[in-house]
Amino acid sequence: MTYIIGDIHGEYQKLLDLVAKLPKDAKLIFVGDLIDRGLQSREIVAYIREHNHQVVRGNHEQFMIENGEPFIEALLEDRDADMSNIWIYAGGIETLLSYGLLEKEEDGSMQIVKNLKGLKELQYDIEWMKSLPLYIKMENPYNAELPIVVSHASIGDFWDLEESNPKHFEFYIMTNRNQPSADAPIFNIYGHTNVSEVVIGHNFVSLDTGCGRSDGEGKLSAYCVETQEIVV
């Protein structure tokens, strides 16, 4: 059985709890946004890499790629690191804490730590994130005319852009928050857009049920390709 798992956002225990409910021989595919917000991003990445699970790249992985490397370079060159970029504001502080590269002071402020082991681990995971695909395509057991595409954000209405305009295609597959129209040519399983419960439409499944929310009320959800079962 193949299970697609929604955005985790640093909530390692919720990942372990969900996986414990799935068949032991299940094939797991993740829609990206493994990191940020929760306090155990490093542990999640290590777990997924260790088990060789498939992942598509989310916008938070992209934030880490684009802003993590300059952070590493600044520390190695004893320069001030930029702590005002989009990654930091989107949950990167918690991710850097998980790599041991920040410490929280008694007054609540953050102190950068030049932790060479943490820097090496961060660079190692960034290189892995660079290799992640934008989508995974597979056969649809229920409708051969609508192939399944696992992506981070909704891409059904922009599927034709992959060949005609790859730059715009990458933008939408990372950022689009609209459900696909009924005539989109793929069955799209995606995360990115927070929903209170998994939404299953004619040609899509929206899977991000808020794991990593600051109020702690979010859930981590999985969708089984073969049975259409939802596991929370």
Side-chain angles (χ1 to χ4, degrees):
M1 296 292 183
T2 302
Y3 288 84
I4 316 301
I5 297 179
D7 306 39
I8 307 171
H9 281 303
E11 296 282 359
Y12 185 44
Q13 190 57 52
K14 287 185 178 179
L15 170 61
L16 296 181
D17 291 345
L18 179 63
V19 169
K21 300 175 185 178
L22 306 179
K24 294 190 181 302
D25 60 349
K27 178 181 180 181
L28 307 184
I29 300 177
F30 295 82
V31 301
D33 280 11
L34 309 175
I35 61 169
D36 299 342
R37 301 180 185 165
L39 291 173
Q40 292 185 293
S41 291
R42 180 185 61 80
E43 291 86 347
I44 290 168
V45 173
Y47 174 88
I48 290 174
R49 296 192 69 174
E50 178 185 348
H51 291 86
N52 201 30
H53 295 310
Q54 289 183 278
V55 186
V56 297
R57 194 188 326 155
N59 61 307
H60 281 259
E61 283 77 36
Q62 192 63 36
F63 292 158
M64 182 162 146
I65 291 169
E66 293 175 359
N67 298 286
E69 289 193 314
F71 178 89
I72 293 168
E73 291 171 5
L75 264 63
L76 291 177
E77 296 173 5
D78 294 320
R79 293 186 286 106
D80 290 337
D82 177 17
M83 297 296 286
S84 62
N85 57 66
I86 189 171
W87 181 41
I88 296 300
Y89 290 132
I93 283 178
E94 290 80 6
T95 297
L96 289 172
L97 281 167
S98 75
Y99 283 89
L101 296 169
L102 287 180
E103 286 183 353
K104 194 171 185 177
E105 301 291 309
E106 290 185 4
D107 62 0
S109 64
M110 294 293 170
Q111 179 69 37
I112 295 175
V113 179
K114 188 176 178 180
N115 172 359
L116 294 180
K117 180 176 182 290
L119 288 172
K120 185 176 180 180
E121 290 176 344
L122 183 64
Q123 184 64 63
Y124 178 65
D125 288 339
I126 286 173
E127 291 304 318
W128 173 74
M129 289 176 184
K130 288 178 182 178
S131 73
L132 298 178
L134 293 177
Y135 67 86
I136 295 170
K137 189 175 181 181
M138 65 185 75
E139 291 184 0
N140 186 339
Y142 293 96
N143 187 342
E145 295 181 359
L146 282 180
I148 290 173
V149 173
V150 180
S151 58
H152 179 59
S154 171
I155 197 59
D157 288 333
F158 306 98
W159 188 243
D160 62 309
L161 293 179
E162 183 186 19
E163 293 186 3
S164 63
N165 195 325
K167 186 175 181 180
H168 284 181
F169 179 81
E170 183 167 351
F171 171 78
Y172 285 116
I173 207 167
M174 291 283 181
T175 63
N176 182 38
R177 295 192 183 275
N178 296 318
Q179 293 179 358
S181 59
D183 58 354
I186 59 173
F187 187 90
N188 193 192
I189 306 175
Y190 60 88
H192 186 61
T193 301
N194 192 199
V195 290
S196 58
E197 304 290 341
V198 173
V199 180
I200 301 179
H202 160 68
N203 58 358
F204 72 91
V205 178
S206 182
L207 263 183
D208 178 8
T209 47
C211 194
R213 275 173 39 175
S214 59
D215 60 10
E217 296 299 316
K219 300 171 289 188
L220 183 60
S221 301
Y223 171 83
C224 182
V225 170
E226 293 82 5
T227 67
Q228 301 180 319
E229 171 194 17
I230 296 168
V231 183
V232 179

